Amino acid sequence: SKKQALAAVAAGGPRLRWFVVDLTPVTMIDVPPLSACRDFHATLRARGVTFATAGRQTEWNLWAARRGFEWSEGTRFFPTLRAAIDAYRRETGADASAGPTGEA
């Protein structure tokens, strides 16, 4: 939920640089959650945090396009969670031995 995501952002504190949502387990897409996702992305962007999704990119983009929905500027898409983590580490210089959050 958006409330849980905002709590995770708050827990990340000021060092939080990326927030990745793993869409792989999502089997059904509905308009209200997609709108909440866009609002959440705007909140992250205001904090300077990169919003990214992993998995199911093609399904989400096709579904959204049929409904006239456009992702917010700056949304990053990755085919897998591993690809998102690798990009985060490459772009931020996070230690390769660090966990997914960048914490060693």
Side-chain angles (χ1 to χ4, degrees):
S1 75
K2 184 177 176 183
K3 185 177 181 178
Q4 290 171 314
L6 289 171
V9 169
R15 292 183 43 200
L16 182 70
R17 293 186 271 177
W18 281 38
F19 191 95
V20 180
V21 176
D22 184 3
L23 299 177
T24 304
V26 176
T27 58
M28 182 185 231
I29 305 166
D30 199 2
V31 173
L34 197 55
S35 293
C37 194
R38 183 172 38 196
D39 293 344
F40 177 64
H41 175 235
T43 300
L44 291 177
R45 189 171 54 218
R47 291 184 59 163
V49 175
T50 297
F51 178 71
T53 65
R56 299 204 181 261
Q57 176 183 352
T58 301
E59 293 103 323
W60 275 75
N61 286 339
L62 290 173
W63 183 91
R66 285 192 300 265
R67 287 157 180 81
F69 179 88
E70 293 183 22
W71 286 98
S72 301
E73 183 180 332
T75 301
R76 305 282 304 271
F77 299 97
F78 297 95
T80 64
L81 190 54
R82 169 60 45 205
I85 292 168
D86 290 346
Y88 168 80
R89 288 182 173 150
R90 206 173 33 255
E91 293 177 25
T92 64
D95 182 350
S97 66
T101 62
E103 298 295 321

